[in-house]
Structures are given as C-alpha cells and as structure tokens.
Amino acid sequence: MENFNRLNDLYFKKLLGDKKRKNLTLSFLNGVLNKDDKNYFTDISFLDKDNEPLTLDGKLSKLDIRADLNDGTQVDIEVQVCPFKLMAERSLYYWSKMYSEQLEKGAEYKKLKKAIAINLLAFDYLEDEQEWHNIYNLLNVKSHKKLTDHIEIHFLELPKFTLKDMRKIRVSEAWLAYFSGKYSKEELEEIAMTTPAIKEAVEFEDTFLQDKIERRAYEQREKAIRDYYSYMNAFKEEGLQQGLEQGLQQGLQQGLQQGLQQGMQKGLYQQAIQTAKNMLKDKVDIKLISKYTNLSVEEIKKINEE
C-alpha cells in the first residue's frame, strides 16, 4: 500500500504490542537502548491490554505499549503523530505513574526497578537538538553526575532521521528507517539483510493490509487524524480572522480615544495661553498666573516677551 503510515497507533500496537511478536518488540527495545550481547533483554511481558486511544489527540489515552522486561525494568513505548507542545510533561507524567505503580501499599523502596519512557515522534520537538535520538536522565546540574539510573526518557524524532550508511546500519537505525516511511520496499529488504526483524515486520505489514477488517480500522484511524488536522487548521484560520477584526476594532477605538484626549489637551492648553495673555495685560503677577493656568513661569515669561 502506497503511503502506508506505520506510526498509525492501531498498526503499531499490532506490530510491537502483541506477545505473538514479542521478538520484534525486544529487537526494537534492545536497539533503541543500545544493548549488546552481554546485557540485552531476553523476554518481555505486556501489561496494558486495553490500550485503545480514548481521544484523537491522545490526552486521555492510556500508554501505547507498557511492559515488564526480564530484569524487572518497566518500559513505556509511545507513538505521537500529531504535534504536541507539552510532550516532555506528558512523558514525565506517564513515567511517574509507571514508576509509582510498582509499589503496593507498605512495600519497600528497594523493590523499585528502573522505568524507561520511549517517545517515537512524527514531528520535530527538541528544537535545540540536532540528533534524532536524545536521552534524558536525572543529573547534578554542576557535576553532571547521575543521581539514579531509575529514570530514563528517550525522544526519537523521525523528521531528523537520515540513514548515513546502509552497509553499517545499527538495529535502532533499521527500525527508524522502517517507521520513517522514507525508504522503499527494496531498500528495506537490503536493511533486512543485517536486521532480520525488519524482514518479519514487512511480512506482517503485508498480512495486516490483506485483512479487510484490520485495514478498515486502519483507514478509519487515518481519516480521524486527517479530520483533526483539518479542524485545527480551520480553527486557526477562523481565530486569526477574528483576531484581526478585534485588533482593528480595538485599534480604531484606541485611536479615537487618543485623538479626543489629545484634542482636549490641546484645547485646554490654548485656553490657558489666552488666559495668561489676558492676565498679563492686566499686570497680574507671573507667579499668580502660573498658579491659575498651570503654565510654568518660563512659559508665561516667553508669552510676555512675544
């Protein structure tokens, strides 16, 4: 299927959130977390079974994929297609829930295990970062020493991703190349030669698209996302038009008020000058004229000279 969106959350969960294909999830996680043969994860248990999104923008959705790894590490993999400015806050919130839910009431803190949040984003989020993969921990602001390894938050920004060398590809790069949609089936087949999990993912994709029910659900979800963008653009345009009209109206009102105020001030000033002239003709003391006209002594002296 041309322009197939592999970040569609329904498809993504079918691909990496099903225990039938947990080998693919482990491949993705071990790649992103840069695990080698000595410390890679060997098993995973999915914890979130009912994880369909409750709203289109995802604000009320449950974690996309939530799982336990074989050493007790908690992991949350979330996909975000629509741009979301508070992604850091959202990820930290979900991370805190994942971390705190490990302990039952009265349990000891030593039972807490590491919690990792992985955010796969279809938009640029970290404006000051050039790399597509950025990892955040809890560090001392002066020494940069890590306080604990229990917190780890990853941001994978697909628009920043470019495959540099097809022959020297890492597992994490292979998965990003797959999800990015930038590479053809032929290129993915070449990538699959070094990363077999990608070959299996492509084969599952073909099966998924041949299933009429699955494909229909996928297309409905894509339509919902397109409608969301359409509504948001319409609201922005309408808001911009209203803002221009309100700004114009406020500007006219402010201009009228300022004009009236300036006119009144000018009229009062001219009246004060005429009063000063009349009082000067009557030989009234300059200080007394200043008191009654609010003109300065210097101004009155200048009027007198003229």
Side-chain angles (χ1 to χ4, degrees):
M1 179 180 181
E2 191 176 355
N3 298 324
F4 178 65
N5 178 18
R6 298 180 180 112
L7 290 183
N8 177 290
D9 50 2
L10 297 177
Y11 173 74
F12 187 86
K13 289 171 206 172
K14 292 284 185 181
L15 179 70
L16 295 187
D18 193 322
K19 62 182 180 181
K20 296 176 184 176
R21 284 171 293 280
K22 66 181 182 180
N23 62 307
L24 299 184
T25 316
L26 287 168
S27 170
F28 175 81
L29 288 173
N30 283 319
V32 169
L33 302 176
N34 199 29
K35 298 294 182 179
D36 57 28
D37 293 341
K38 297 179 180 178
N39 61 3
Y40 67 91
F41 295 116
T42 58
D43 200 8
I44 186 170
S45 300
F46 297 102
L47 303 179
D48 189 22
K49 296 179 180 179
D50 183 18
N51 54 8
E52 295 303 315
L54 301 181
T55 62
L56 181 57
D57 62 2
K59 289 180 182 177
L60 301 177
S61 67
K62 298 180 182 180
L63 302 178
D64 279 323
I65 296 177
R66 171 83 180 273
D68 263 341
L69 294 166
N70 55 281
D71 66 348
T73 297
Q74 305 280 298
V75 65
D76 156 38
I77 308 172
E78 182 177 355
V79 175
Q80 184 67 27
V81 176
C82 302
F84 189 58
K85 291 182 179 179
L86 300 178
M87 201 65 215
E89 290 80 358
R90 173 176 171 169
S91 185
L92 189 60
Y93 171 72
Y94 281 148
W95 175 90
S96 66
K97 284 186 66 179
M98 178 170 55
Y99 190 66
S100 62
E101 286 173 359
Q102 295 181 55
L103 285 188
E104 296 179 358
K105 190 175 181 179
E108 298 178 0
Y109 292 119
K110 65 181 181 180
K111 291 186 177 181
L112 287 167
K113 299 292 185 180
K114 184 174 185 175
I116 302 173
I118 299 174
N119 301 285
L120 185 56
L121 309 180
F123 56 94
D124 285 330
Y125 175 63
L126 303 170
E127 295 180 358
D128 296 330
E129 301 292 349
Q130 301 299 318
E131 297 293 326
W132 60 268
H133 186 185
N134 291 282
I135 308 169
Y136 292 87
N137 299 118
L138 197 59
L139 306 175
N140 184 307
V141 295
K142 291 184 178 180
S143 67
H144 294 170
K145 290 183 178 179
K146 194 183 295 186
L147 178 65
T148 175
D149 66 350
H150 275 207
I151 179 171
E152 192 170 295
I153 299 179
H154 296 246
F155 290 97
L156 312 176
E157 298 171 274
L158 283 171
K160 294 178 181 177
F161 175 77
T162 302
L163 195 56
K164 295 178 181 178
D165 189 343
M166 194 80 75
R167 297 166 298 178
K168 298 179 181 179
I169 187 170
R170 293 180 296 163
V171 175
S172 60
E173 293 174 325
W175 277 109
L176 264 288
Y178 174 74
F179 285 120
S180 70
K182 297 177 181 178
Y183 301 92
S184 65
K185 280 287 184 72
E186 291 74 19
E187 289 172 317
L188 289 177
E189 287 175 3
E190 187 176 345
I191 292 171
M193 294 176 67
T194 58
T195 311
I198 299 301
K199 181 181 179 182
E200 189 174 339
V202 172
E203 291 173 351
F204 172 74
E205 178 183 320
D206 292 337
T207 303
F208 176 88
L209 290 173
Q210 290 171 11
D211 188 310
K212 292 182 180 179
I213 296 175
E214 298 285 19
R215 182 162 178 161
R216 176 61 177 163
Y218 162 85
E219 290 172 348
Q220 287 179 331
R221 182 61 174 158
E222 287 297 290
K223 181 180 181 299
I225 294 172
R226 287 194 299 272
D227 289 345
Y228 170 78
Y229 278 118
S230 178
Y231 294 148
M232 289 301 293
N233 289 334
F235 289 149
K236 285 179 182 177
E237 290 176 4
E238 184 178 348
L240 179 61
Q241 183 65 29
Q242 289 178 352
L244 286 172
E245 290 174 0
Q246 291 174 0
L248 213 68
Q249 191 174 11
Q250 289 173 0
L252 287 170
Q253 289 175 349
Q254 289 175 358
L256 184 59
Q257 289 173 356
Q258 288 174 0
L260 286 170
Q261 190 175 17
Q262 290 172 1
M264 288 176 66
Q265 288 175 350
K266 188 174 181 180
L268 289 171
Y269 182 68
Q270 293 296 334
Q271 185 179 356
I273 291 175
Q274 188 59 48
T275 301
K277 287 180 178 180
N278 294 335
M279 293 177 78
L280 284 167
K281 288 178 182 180
D282 293 337
K283 307 297 183 181
V284 178
D285 183 73
I286 289 178
K287 290 184 179 179
L288 195 60
I289 296 173
S290 177
K291 178 180 179 181
Y292 285 104
T293 62
N294 287 325
L295 296 173
S296 68
V297 172
E298 288 74 15
E299 285 178 301
I300 296 169
K301 285 181 178 180
K302 187 176 180 181
I303 293 169
N304 192 36
E305 290 172 359
E306 291 174 352

